[in-house]
Amino acid sequence: MSRFLNPETMPKPASNYVQLVEITGPGRRLIISGQIGVTPDGQLREGYRAQAEQAWMNALAGLEAGGMGITDIVAIRVYDVAPGDVVAYREIRDQMLQGHAPAATYVMVAGLAHPDFLTEIEIEAFSAI
């Protein structure tokens, strides 16, 4: 079972995420490797928004393949190379998560595995048995 919390003793989140996720009881943990803006047939999408949307679609496809849903996501980690895209990232994340707010980390990095990659999204999920 997962419990999502924003304790009064911690700063309020800057957007739609929580400060803590508590996981208890038996269950299944799914970790989805960092997903990039490449389509299943290997085409790199062009531009930040297109890459971010595709990375999210890839991550959610992995979630589905693992037999889990959006509300099973307990943590997301995002690595971006494009300064100033945090607003776009938050809009896309909120659309993809449909109101679900897991723990989240957003990191600006100097580069990813290829110079044309603009974002990478990693997801961790938990489902009670």
Side-chain angles (χ1 to χ4, degrees), residues 43-59:
Q43 300 298 310
L44 176 64
R45 303 282 308 272
E46 218 173 292
Y48 179 81
R49 278 190 176 273
Q51 284 193 26
E53 288 170 355
Q54 187 63 54
W56 271 104
M57 288 188 286
N58 295 343

Side-chain angles (χ1 to χ4, degrees), residues 104-121:
T105 300
Y106 180 87
V107 182
M108 294 298 302
V109 296
L112 295 168
H114 188 280
D116 293 337
F117 296 164
L118 302 176
T119 189
E120 188 166 339
I121 300 168

Side-chain angles (χ1 to χ4, degrees), residues 80-110:
D80 271 1
V81 298
D85 281 334
V86 69
V87 172
Y89 156 71
R90 287 176 177 166
E91 289 173 4
I92 294 164
R93 176 203 59 199
D94 291 350
Q95 174 189 357
M96 296 293 180
L97 292 181
Q98 303 170 13
H100 180 58
T105 300
Y106 180 87
V107 182
M108 294 298 302
V109 296

Side-chain angles (χ1 to χ4, degrees), residues 11 16 19 25 28 32 39 44 57 60 74 78 83 85 90 95 112 115 117-118 121-122 125 129:
N16 194 30
Q19 295 288 23
R28 293 185 318 116
I32 299 171
T39 63
L44 176 64
M57 288 188 286
L60 295 179
V74 295
V78 175
D85 281 334
R90 287 176 177 166
Q95 174 189 357
L112 295 168
F117 296 164
L118 302 176
I121 300 168
E122 180 183 344
I129 295 179

